[in-house]
Amino acid sequence: DIQMTQSPSSLSASVGDRVTITCRASQGISNYLAWFQQKPGKAPKSLIYAASSLQSGVPSKFSGSGSGTDFTLTISSLQPEDFATYYCQQYNSYPPTFGGGTKVEIK
Amino acid sequence: EVQLVESGGGLVKPGGSLRLSCAASGFTFSSYSMNWVRQAPGKGLEWVSSISSSSSYIYYADSVKGRFTISRDNAKNSLYLQMNSLRAEDTAVYYCARVDPYKGPSFWGQGTLVTVSS
């Protein structure tokens, strides 16, 4: 199975900060990488697919990059509604696997 | 509007069974693969099972293989997860998700809670 390692597991940031979350795959997954946002008590929401493509309706402050084994999710200017947990997932091969999550908290 | 509504969760004793359902609307259900994903309390996301649009391809996580069965009824726009021999570690919120080609799971239901406890 492909292991997905996210870092950091949590971070504290202020409104307006630029935030970067990284995700590393244990083997190459091309660009079959998705990012999700989850708020407490809510279902995950898809933000990015194919490593860098924005889902419809997702604001452009979210961006993704990477290919192969190393990927990043960047939030350009953190807003109050962005405080949540973020997960990456590889869908290159079965079983599809998730990273452990990054909790973004208010500083 | 795409909607996925899970149901069937509840409290069940270890060794018991439960059948989850996911009702789909707002899209052509028969054209999409579907996933079940679960989340134990306070934990991360764990993929459980996938089924292709015509049920030709089915996959399971090792943790549920032999105990869970995924199925779908395209005429009823519904996805199912039959869970047998339930264990305490199966306690989780179970989400169904639509898988878009090359995009991964793009739409998720609100989830249904399964609690396995004596």
Side-chain angles (χ1 to χ4, degrees):
Chain A
D1 297 2
I2 298 174
Q3 307 304 316
M4 303 301 294
T5 303
Q6 266 183 256
S7 60
S9 56
S10 66
L11 64 90
S12 294
S14 300
V15 171
D17 283 354
R18 180 183 179 91
V19 168
T20 298
I21 298 167
T22 65
C23 183
R24 175 165 288 177
S26 60
Q27 62 190 80
I29 59 170
S30 185
N31 68 335
Y32 292 99
L33 190 283
W35 289 97
F36 302 91
Q37 176 194 66
Q38 188 179 34
K39 297 181 179 179
K42 300 295 186 182
K45 174 187 175 184
S46 178
L47 299 176
I48 286 171
Y49 64 93
S52 60
S53 296
L54 225 55
Q55 284 281 9
S56 175
V58 174
S60 58
K61 62 182 171 180
F62 292 97
S63 63
S65 65
S67 184
T69 60
D70 293 315
F71 302 87
T72 61
L73 172 71
T74 299
I75 310 171
S76 60
S77 177
L78 205 61
Q79 296 303 305
E81 63 270 20
D82 302 329
F83 291 94
T85 300
Y86 295 84
Y87 295 92
C88 62
Q89 186 210 27
Q90 69 81 17
Y91 54 99
N92 178 72
S93 62
Y94 280 94
T97 43
F98 290 91
T102 296
K103 187 173 184 179
V104 177
E105 299 176 300
I106 301 173
K107 182 182 285 183
Chain B
E1 180 193 4
V2 173
Q3 280 204 319
L4 297 168
V5 180
E6 300 93 338
S7 60
L11 175 63
V12 61
K13 290 181 168 53
S17 298
L18 215 51
R19 189 195 197 205
L20 305 184
S21 299
C22 171
S25 61
F27 65 100
T28 305
F29 179 71
S30 59
S31 296
Y32 291 87
S33 295
M34 298 293 294
N35 281 356
W36 286 101
V37 176
R38 67 184 181 183
Q39 187 170 36
K43 302 297 185 182
L45 300 169
E46 179 190 15
W47 169 80
V48 172
S49 184
S50 296
I51 186 167
S52 62
S53 58
S54 60
S55 305
S56 298
Y57 300 96
I58 287 175
Y59 304 90
Y60 297 100
D62 286 345
S63 57
V64 307
K65 201 173 294 181
R67 300 187 299 122
F68 290 11
T69 301
I70 191 172
S71 62
R72 64 191 296 161
D73 185 335
N74 287 343
K76 294 184 177 179
N77 292 335
S78 293
L79 174 72
Y80 306 102
L81 187 68
Q82 177 67 43
M83 304 186 296
N84 298 331
S85 304
L86 282 161
R87 306 166 179 167
E89 54 264 36
D90 296 318
T91 294
V93 174
Y94 285 73
Y95 298 100
C96 64
R98 189 185 91 177
V99 181
D100 288 16
Y102 304 107
K103 293 186 177 182
S106 294
F107 291 95
W108 298 61
Q110 86 289 349
T112 187
L113 176 62
V114 172
T115 303
V116 184
S117 175
S118 56

